[in-house]
Amino acid sequence: MIDHQSDYYNYLLDKTQQDLIRIKKKIYTIGTLRLCWVLLILSALYVLWDYHTGIIVGTILFGIICFLVMMRIHNRFFIQKSFLEAKIAICKKELQLKRFDFEGIDTGQEYIDPTHDFSNDLDIFGKKSLFAYINRSASFIGKQKLVAWITHPLTDIEKIRIRQDAVQELSLQTDLRIDFLANGMTSQENRTDAQTIAELAESSPSYVAKWMKYILPFIPWVFGLLVLAWIFGIGTGNYILFLFLACFCYATIYSGKVSRTQNKLGESLKSLNAYAGLIEQLEKSEFKSLLLQEICTELKTEGIAVSSRIKQLGTLLRNLDQRYNAIGFAILNGFFLWDFKQLAGIEKWIRNNGRFLPGWLEAIARFDALCSLATFRYNHPGYVFPELNSVDNPVMTAKELGHPLIEPERCVCNPVDMPQRPSFLVITGANMAGKSTYLRTIGINHLLASIGAPVCAKEMKFSPCNLFTSLRTTDSLSDQESYFFAELKRLKQIIDRLETGEKLFIILDEILKGTNSIDKQKGSLALVQKLVKLNAAGVIATHDLQLGCLADSWPDIIENFRFEADITHDELSFSYRLQPGIAQNMNACFLMEKMGIIPKE
């Protein structure tokens, strides 16, 4: 099978590496030119030192201007270099994950929650998890949005369809997604940026006194008039000097307060600049799907592009930074009260744009999360978007359902057929025969379908509802809670929620593992009967073959399936193929004999 995706990533990797080599050469060249230019200007000054002062001053100014232009070009090359290095890292990561190599990949370990409805049981977070496999977040807020989508999947059919359309459209724009991620990787975003921006949006700042705002626009005009009066002999230069000293002294007196305000603003507003590149890239894109159009609309505030607004803010912040230069501080504040002029501009900017900040961040986060799902779609062209049903017929049916985190050459696909609600599949089988993998395969594909992503199947239909699992219950020493009691609490959650009328898709592995076989069998039978009466649907794996008799009582609701182990010539093998009926072969004693734990009979 031809892997076009790997071919593309390899092509882009080679091309970007060549581009990086060219940029590095340009950086070296412009750096050398800057050095040569400095030496040239110094040599010119040495030769012209005895000439007129105007020539020397002109040479210095010309040299400085050209040096600054070269420095700006140099900085642009460094930005391009960082961007290309990010693209190279992205291509390498894609090729790495295509090999199912998770070394150095963000695992989302901090989001593991044993009490969650399903995430801990289905290995959604952690090493070699679904999150580690699909996360392509360009920003921390995008990562948080993806986590929210995964841990709180949709049950509204129309919302799932809308997201499916967006994922499909975005999956066809690979260059856009990669450039978006590269922009995010070079933005130097902090984890707290969104929080500081949100706090800013809720504030009503007042950095400059009201009377000061009225006089700031007129100060340059006053200086201009005084200069004209001096030129035409109407006044003296002392008036200019007095006004200059008054403005300079005022700025100096309040310099400490301005510095504190600037530091506070720097923490909040400069965070917004981290998202400027992402926003500008979205503004340049056109989409057909409803969700992507909504996101772009949120980034067009009152007909003005958000990136333009952020650039205005960036200009004000850079202007305020000029105060760190002693000469600049004296001249700019003496003639213009520069610090207060910039603070007044920032205050006005916040007043005009603060209420839009949460919407801008939400738009970026949603698009970022969609990029992760779209990349998952692009990397798996053989996966399908499931057909959605508004009624419970079927609850879930699929052909050739596989687990997306198992290498294709090792993945054994099986069907699932739950045509109605209530409906249960009882899965029996030997140890290591594939029961738990089958349960997780169903659960993870149910989750993918509910978040608008494609599923690992040839065909799938399902009716969206909340997913709840009990596969990996653990005891808690801190809560003085036994394993058995922890499992009972989880089962109680299921019953309580079903009794409220909530629709659940339930996946259980070995009910009541913490009690003796007779008690376990009796309790398991009673639990399944209760679940059926509460109109539930799901899958149950068990070693207790007696649960198979429930199909006799409810032949249209409960079906028995099995995973068998084959022992031939004293060798154990598994087909991992789902078969109808109740398991016939068990392998615990055989394995214990094989390992020498117990003597052979």
Side-chain angles (χ1 to χ4, degrees):
M1 182 177 175
I2 300 175
D3 188 349
H4 295 292
Q5 290 69 42
S6 292
D7 289 344
Y8 175 78
Y9 290 130
N10 278 311
Y11 159 75
L12 185 60
L13 178 61
D14 291 340
K15 179 179 180 298
T16 309
Q17 286 175 332
Q18 293 299 318
D19 292 340
L20 181 61
I21 291 172
R22 286 192 287 270
I23 286 294
K24 285 182 176 179
K25 287 181 179 178
K26 290 179 180 179
I27 289 173
Y28 175 79
T29 300
I30 199 73
T32 304
L33 285 175
R34 284 172 60 187
L35 177 61
C36 292
W37 183 253
V38 170
L39 294 175
L40 179 62
I41 294 299
L42 291 175
S43 300
L45 290 175
Y46 177 78
V47 173
L48 300 172
W49 193 253
D50 292 331
Y51 282 72
H52 191 274
T53 304
I55 295 176
I56 296 175
V57 172
T59 302
I60 293 173
L61 290 175
F62 179 70
I64 291 174
I65 291 171
C66 291
F67 183 83
L68 291 175
V69 169
M70 286 189 285
M71 187 169 69
R72 187 170 184 178
I73 294 172
H74 208 190
N75 289 338
R76 286 181 179 176
F77 285 154
F78 272 110
I79 292 172
Q80 291 179 36
K81 175 177 174 287
S82 298
F83 182 78
L84 292 173
E85 287 172 340
K87 287 184 71 172
I88 289 171
I90 292 166
C91 292
K92 288 182 177 179
K93 177 182 176 181
E94 293 295 346
L95 292 168
Q96 177 185 347
L97 286 173
K98 291 285 283 184
R99 302 190 302 268
F100 292 89
D101 177 4
F102 290 83
E103 186 66 32
I105 302 297
D106 183 3
T107 65
Q109 187 82 17
E110 64 270 30
Y111 301 109
I112 292 178
D113 179 9
T115 65
H116 188 264
D117 287 1
F118 57 81
S119 66
N120 192 50
D121 288 337
L122 299 181
D123 299 312
I124 303 303
F125 303 107
K127 190 175 181 181
K128 296 186 177 181
S129 63
L130 179 68
F131 175 81
Y133 191 57
I134 70 174
N135 175 41
R136 301 294 188 280
S137 300
S139 63
F140 183 67
I141 56 175
K143 176 181 174 180
Q144 288 181 308
K145 180 60 67 176
L146 180 62
V147 170
W149 283 3
I150 291 174
T151 53
H152 299 87
L154 297 170
T155 57
D156 184 286
I157 289 176
E158 189 57 32
K159 289 181 179 179
I160 296 176
R161 285 200 180 110
I162 289 173
R163 193 180 289 174
Q164 284 180 344
D165 291 341
V167 169
Q168 176 60 25
E169 180 179 4
L170 200 52
S171 71
L172 303 176
Q173 303 189 41
T174 305
D175 289 338
L176 170 63
R177 297 195 316 274
I178 290 177
D179 286 352
F180 185 84
L181 178 53
N183 269 318
M185 291 172 65
T186 57
S187 67
Q188 299 180 338
E189 176 202 17
N190 295 316
R191 292 172 68 98
T192 58
D193 282 352
Q195 180 181 345
T196 55
I197 292 171
E199 292 172 354
L200 181 69
E202 296 174 359
S203 65
S204 299
S206 179
Y207 306 129
V208 181
K210 187 176 290 186
W211 65 268
M212 175 69 74
K213 294 175 189 175
Y214 290 122
I215 70 168
L216 280 172
F218 299 104
I219 289 178
W221 293 100
V222 173
F223 271 110
L225 293 173
L226 291 176
V227 169
L228 288 174
W230 178 44
I231 292 173
F232 290 105
I234 301 173
T236 68
N238 290 335
Y239 294 113
I240 301 173
L241 179 62
F242 290 152
L243 181 58
F244 177 90
L245 290 175
C247 291
F248 174 75
C249 291
Y250 184 86
T252 302
I253 292 170
Y254 287 94
S255 176
K257 183 178 180 181
V258 172
S259 295
R260 289 191 294 272
T261 303
Q262 184 182 15
N263 291 334
K264 185 177 179 180
L265 286 171
E267 184 180 346
S268 301
L269 296 181
K270 287 184 179 178
S271 299
L272 189 58
N273 283 328
Y275 303 113
L278 304 181
I279 292 173
E280 189 169 7
Q281 193 168 2
L282 277 181
E283 290 172 344
K284 295 176 181 177
S285 305
E286 293 184 2
F287 302 104
K288 296 179 181 178
S289 60
L290 179 62
L291 183 54
L292 290 172
Q293 287 180 345
E294 287 180 356
I295 290 172
C296 289
T297 300
E298 290 177 9
L299 294 176
K300 293 178 181 177
T301 304
E302 297 180 345
I304 302 176
V306 172
S307 61
S308 298
R309 292 171 179 263
I310 295 178
K311 286 178 181 177
Q312 293 171 3
L313 173 65
T315 300
L316 290 168
L317 290 170
R318 286 191 297 273
N319 288 344
L320 189 58
D321 286 341
Q322 298 302 320
R323 63 192 306 274
Y324 288 125
N325 182 295
I327 297 175
F329 176 87
I331 294 174
L332 293 173
N333 280 290
F335 284 114
F336 305 105
L337 281 175
W338 185 260
D339 289 357
F340 303 95
K341 182 178 177 63
Q342 306 314 311
L343 287 176
I346 292 172
E347 181 182 326
K348 182 179 178 181
W349 190 96
I350 295 172
R351 187 167 60 251
N352 292 337
N353 299 280
R355 64 187 184 278
F356 302 121
L357 289 176
W360 297 349
L361 295 185
E362 176 67 13
I364 295 170
R366 291 164 71 194
F367 184 83
D368 202 352
L370 283 172
C371 283
S372 290
L373 300 185
T375 300
F376 179 72
R377 169 60 173 165
Y378 173 79
N379 288 341
H380 300 89
Y383 289 8
V384 299
F385 285 103
E387 181 180 324
L388 307 171
N389 294 301
S390 57
V391 294
D392 292 322
N393 299 323
V395 175
M396 182 175 177
T397 63
K399 294 180 181 178
E400 298 184 24
L401 192 71
H403 199 296
L405 296 182
I406 299 177
E407 295 89 332
E409 58 272 13
R410 293 197 308 111
C411 184
V412 178
C413 298
N414 286 292
V416 59
D417 186 15
M418 305 179 67
Q420 63 191 14
R421 181 179 293 274
S423 182
F424 274 94
L425 305 182
V426 176
I427 313 298
T428 53
N431 295 297
M432 303 184 299
K435 299 191 305 299
S436 295
T437 299
Y438 181 63
L439 264 58
R440 287 184 170 84
T441 298
I442 293 174
I444 209 163
N445 280 288
H446 189 284
L447 172 61
L448 286 171
S450 299
I451 64 174
V455 296
C456 180
K458 183 177 181 181
E459 180 183 305
M460 178 171 159
K461 300 177 182 178
F462 91 120
S463 176
C465 65
N466 290 322
L467 177 65
F468 199 101
T469 65
S470 182
L471 311 179
R472 190 181 281 150
T473 309
T474 58
D475 54 5
S476 174
L477 295 176
S478 60
D479 294 334
Q480 298 182 342
E481 186 177 89
S482 70
Y483 177 96
F484 180 62
F485 186 65
E487 185 181 9
L488 288 182
K489 282 175 63 178
R490 199 151 179 89
L491 294 176
K492 181 68 165 57
Q493 288 183 57
I494 296 174
I495 298 300
D496 288 346
R497 289 170 64 170
L498 287 171
E499 287 179 340
T500 65
E502 181 180 355
K503 290 182 179 179
L504 292 178
F505 187 87
I506 301 164
I507 301 179
L508 305 176
D509 190 5
E510 203 62 49
I511 307 169
L512 304 178
K513 292 183 281 288
T515 188
N516 64 69
S517 57
I518 296 176
D519 198 28
K520 169 185 171 182
Q521 186 180 105
K522 182 178 178 181
S524 299
L525 288 168
L527 175 65
V528 176
Q529 291 171 350
K530 178 83 169 178
L531 294 175
V532 170
K533 291 177 181 177
L534 289 172
N535 202 39
V539 189
I540 300 172
T542 182
H543 287 96
D544 189 350
L545 304 185
Q546 287 300 312
L547 281 184
C549 69
L550 289 170
D552 298 332
S553 303
W554 288 296
D556 297 329
I557 296 175
I558 297 177
E559 286 190 88
N560 291 314
F561 289 92
R562 58 195 168 97
F563 286 95
E564 291 288 10
D566 181 58
I567 302 175
T568 305
H569 303 302
D570 203 34
E571 292 295 331
L572 181 66
S573 63
F574 306 98
S575 68
Y576 304 112
R577 293 288 181 186
L578 187 69
Q579 303 175 48
I582 301 174
Q584 303 299 314
N585 301 322
M586 295 297 168
N587 59 9
C589 290
F590 171 82
L591 289 172
M592 293 177 74
E593 291 173 359
K594 193 82 172 174
M595 297 176 67
I597 297 173
I598 61 174
K600 292 185 178 182
E601 294 182 358

